[in-house]
Amino acid sequence: MTTAPLTMRAALAAALTEAVDADPALVTLGADGQALFQGVMARHPRRYVDVGIAEANLVGVAAGLARSGMRPVAAAMAPFLVRRAYEQLRLDVCVPALPVVFLGVGGGLGYGHLGPTHHATDDITLMSALPHMSVHCPADAADAVSVLRTLLPADGPAYVRLSARADPVLPAEASHGDPRTPRLLRAGDDVLLLATGRCVAEALAAADALADDGVDAAVASVTALHPFPREAVRALARDRALVVTAAESLGPGGLGDRTALTLGREGPPLVRLETDHRHPPVASHEDLLHFYGVDGRGIRSAVLGQLTRNTRKA
């Protein structure tokens, strides 16, 4: 029986309620968005604070609560949390390394048709640049729950990118074990596909298509982007003829950038698939992934193209 897709917000709503039940210091905050906190509001109404559409205030209030001994979890739409409140994120929370977990809803291209004002392909880059901030990009709803449970109780600032809509359901291995280390979802000897977030499902689709092309592709999901699991990625890439990274985020500080620094010149050839600054069309999430070349078709094409070039050089 096929499992119905579940949004990250729906999955985390239950996990957050359980966390608030268990930890009297945990308090939740939102910026005019309550979907994540329905259970908390029903069972612990005094443990939820809504600041309205005011992301800078959201961060400032969370910082004040953290300084008073509470453990805040704050959520807002990713494009506005990251851009409107960046100064507060840096100075109020990250410089003093306060234990605040931020949930950015609709990171990457998740808001699709709402256009570039609501896209946040820069969130990974920006949040990774903040001092003491850890950055996580779950691959599906179950992975998002595993990240939250690993982070709580928080011991420093953390950012978790959440998708806006239901994602494809991934194999159970995508959410098993410590999310701070890559998970190998598919074995393969020829090529390693490293993906994060929504692109993990695309990498698995590409691997299926590549099998028909005679290419044996391994797929690994990388949820923790900062700090980056360098030793684990080196081990996965060892003895591979090619590594391809796929992420719906800008290059600096992203999966491809960190993989390149990790593997260095002595590593296998690396192809980085990521978004750029082209103005996108008004389109669905899936069509936007295709526009930037980070969907299953784009990944397959990049692998076949690079393997052809490698064969010609040989």
Side-chain angles (χ1 to χ4, degrees):
M1 183 176 180
T2 303
T3 304
L6 186 67
T7 67
M8 290 186 183
R9 278 180 286 186
L12 284 184
L16 280 167
T17 304
E18 294 172 2
V20 172
D21 286 343
D23 184 354
L26 201 155
V27 61
T28 60
L29 302 92
D32 194 41
Q34 300 176 352
L36 278 160
F37 306 116
Q38 291 296 319
V40 176
M41 293 168 66
R43 283 161 51 173
H44 304 279
R46 294 176 62 85
R47 306 269 291 282
Y48 173 71
V49 178
D50 196 319
V51 303
I53 306 174
E55 291 78 11
N57 288 352
L58 176 77
V59 176
V61 172
L65 289 168
R67 285 188 179 277
S68 70
M70 304 300 286
R71 300 278 180 167
V73 176
M77 293 175 70
F80 310 126
L81 170 66
V82 173
R83 300 192 195 114
R84 289 180 178 171
Y86 198 69
E87 181 179 12
Q88 287 75 22
L89 285 164
R90 185 180 189 279
L91 298 179
D92 293 355
V93 174
C94 289
V95 169
L98 296 179
V100 183
V101 175
F102 293 100
L103 306 177
V105 180
L109 300 162
Y111 280 117
H113 287 100
L114 294 180
T117 58
H118 284 61
H119 298 165
T121 57
D122 52 356
D123 61 337
I124 302 300
T125 296
L126 292 169
M127 297 303 259
S128 295
L130 293 170
H132 308 296
M133 179 71 85
S134 65
V135 177
H136 311 266
C137 189
D140 68 356
D143 192 17
V145 171
S146 78
V147 169
L148 184 72
R149 288 175 174 164
T150 299
L151 290 175
L152 297 179
D155 57 5
Y159 174 70
V160 185
R161 177 201 270 192
L162 304 182
S163 57
R165 311 286 181 241
D167 296 306
V169 177
L170 298 177
E173 292 81 5
S175 54
H176 283 179
D178 191 336
R180 291 167 294 192
T181 192
R183 285 94 159 220
L184 185 65
L185 308 185
R186 178 180 177 133
D189 295 330
D190 297 332
V191 177
L192 172 64
L193 306 180
L194 281 179
T196 189
R198 178 65 175 76
C199 288
V200 175
E202 302 300 324
L204 287 168
D208 287 340
L210 286 165
D212 294 334
D213 300 314
V215 178
D216 191 18
V219 178
S221 173
V222 183
T223 297
L225 297 176
H226 184 66
F228 193 66
R230 300 183 65 176
E231 293 304 319
V233 168
R234 282 198 193 98
L236 284 170
R238 191 172 296 125
D239 300 325
R240 308 285 185 186
L242 175 66
V243 176
V244 176
T245 62
E248 57 173 315
S249 56
L250 296 178
L255 176 63
D257 202 10
R258 294 185 182 278
T259 301
L261 290 171
T262 294
L263 299 182
R265 295 182 178 179
E266 302 304 316
L270 173 66
V271 175
R272 296 166 47 172
L273 302 179
E274 53 212 15
T275 65
D276 52 46
H277 288 296
R278 284 176 293 161
H279 195 280
V282 177
S284 68
H285 190 185
E286 291 73 19
D287 287 342
L288 289 168
L289 294 174
H290 180 62
F291 174 79
Y292 288 110
V294 295
D295 65 339
R297 288 173 290 174
I299 297 169
R300 172 179 175 268
S301 177
V303 169
L304 294 178
Q306 185 62 41
L307 291 177
T308 298
R309 285 189 287 273
N310 291 349
T311 300
R312 287 173 180 169
K313 289 180 182 178

